[in-house]
Amino acid sequence: MSLLNLSKVRKTYQTEAEKLLILKNINLIIDENTTTVITGESGCGKSTLLNIIGGLDRADSGIIEVGEQQIEKLNEAQLSEYRKRKIGFVFQFHYLLKDFTCVENVMMPNFMAGNSRKDAIEKAEELLERVKLTDRITHYPSQLSGGERQRAALARALINEPDIILADEPTGNLDEENSRVVENLLFDMVHDFGKTLILVTHDGELAGRGNNEYYLHKGELHLK
């Protein structure tokens, strides 16, 4: 059953010198509980496409349907609720809050979604155990390694039980060993929790693990 449908999505950016066409004619259907990988040269629009799906950016035209919602028709308040309930983000940089402990960083989206602090912390602790950070829950981001910070970011992305996980170069800042650890946790947890993953990467080994792989070139997606 399809979860995400994109039809004729177009995005341009206006610079001082010219108007840049980033996404020309994006058509994409993604089924529930699948992993889709998007590759392409730097600057080709991969992150822009993820941001549009995630409601962080708006397309110039086209249709973006997630379930029964047409994202392009939502106002800012509705987009915020959509991101809170439907989307989990894992970026290349972890974006953990430096003044919050590991468990506080992970629990915060759940607490902000209306759950009690106690329940949010319990849920965060369960996810941190899953990503093998039980002994780091009271540590601050500055006390965590790069791999540990990214594992905490993965736990945070899953805490509100979103339908879709959007991962933008999630291992891009990690060494080979930590990359494989985060990669395995990402795919295992997406599978075990029944989530749909859309992943942008330059990592050929990581790209090969998806159910479907697309290449973004000159504003259009091509199935590999």
Side-chain angles (χ1 to χ4, degrees), residues 11-23:
K11 179 66 177 179
T12 59
Y13 285 114
Q14 182 68 55
T15 69
E16 292 184 2
E18 60 181 333
K19 187 180 236 183
L20 299 175
L21 178 60
I22 306 299
L23 302 176

Side-chain angles (χ1 to χ4, degrees), residues 9-37:
V9 172
R10 178 184 176 90
K11 179 66 177 179
T12 59
Y13 285 114
Q14 182 68 55
T15 69
E16 292 184 2
E18 60 181 333
K19 187 180 236 183
L20 299 175
L21 178 60
I22 306 299
L23 302 176
K24 180 180 179 183
N25 186 37
I26 300 296
N27 297 289
L28 179 65
I29 298 175
I30 293 179
D31 291 336
E32 291 180 339
N33 306 329
T34 59
T35 57
T36 298
V37 180

Side-chain angles (χ1 to χ4, degrees), residues 125-137:
E125 288 175 344
E126 290 174 2
L127 285 167
L128 287 168
E129 180 179 4
R130 182 63 188 269
V131 297
K132 300 177 175 60
L133 287 177
T134 299
D135 59 344
R136 294 289 191 270
I137 61 173

Side-chain angles (χ1 to χ4, degrees), residues 113 160 170 172 192 198:
N160 281 345
D192 293 348
I198 305 173

Side-chain angles (χ1 to χ4, degrees), residues 68-205:
E68 298 179 353
Q69 287 185 299
Q70 281 193 223
I71 307 309
E72 75 279 1
K73 293 183 177 180
L74 301 182
N75 60 34
E76 291 304 316
Q78 291 169 329
L79 278 174
S80 178
E81 191 67 17
Y82 162 74
R83 290 190 296 267
K84 187 189 302 179
R85 304 289 180 181
K86 298 291 186 181
I87 303 294
F89 294 96
V90 184
F91 298 103
Q92 183 172 346
F93 185 73
H94 55 81
Y95 293 112
L96 298 177
L97 301 172
K98 65 178 182 178
D99 295 326
F100 288 74
T101 64
C102 184
V103 70
E104 288 171 339
N105 266 285
V106 174
M107 62 81 75
M108 192 56 64
N110 196 249
F111 180 61
M112 293 179 67
N115 293 299
S116 70
R117 180 179 176 85
K118 178 178 179 293
D119 288 346
I121 288 177
E122 287 180 356
K123 195 167 186 178
E125 288 175 344
E126 290 174 2
L127 285 167
L128 287 168
E129 180 179 4
R130 182 63 188 269
V131 297
K132 300 177 175 60
L133 287 177
T134 299
D135 59 344
R136 294 289 191 270
I137 61 173
T138 60
H139 287 57
Y140 290 90
S142 62
Q143 298 170 310
L144 302 175
S145 70
E148 288 170 341
R149 289 193 289 263
Q150 202 65 344
R151 281 147 57 192
L154 174 56
R156 181 184 56 190
L158 285 160
I159 196 162
N160 281 345
E161 302 179 23
D163 294 330
I164 299 173
I165 300 295
L166 300 178
D168 191 350
E169 296 284 4
T171 61
N173 286 336
L174 303 178
D175 58 37
E176 181 69 21
E177 181 179 353
N178 279 300
S179 291
R180 298 289 81 89
V181 170
V182 170
E183 171 190 331
N184 289 332
L185 282 170
L186 173 62
F187 277 87
D188 289 348
M189 293 178 77
V190 164
H191 176 268
D192 293 348
F193 285 95
K195 305 304 176 186
T196 300
L197 173 66
I198 305 173
L199 170 72
V200 161
T201 186
H202 285 102
D203 186 330
E205 184 173 339

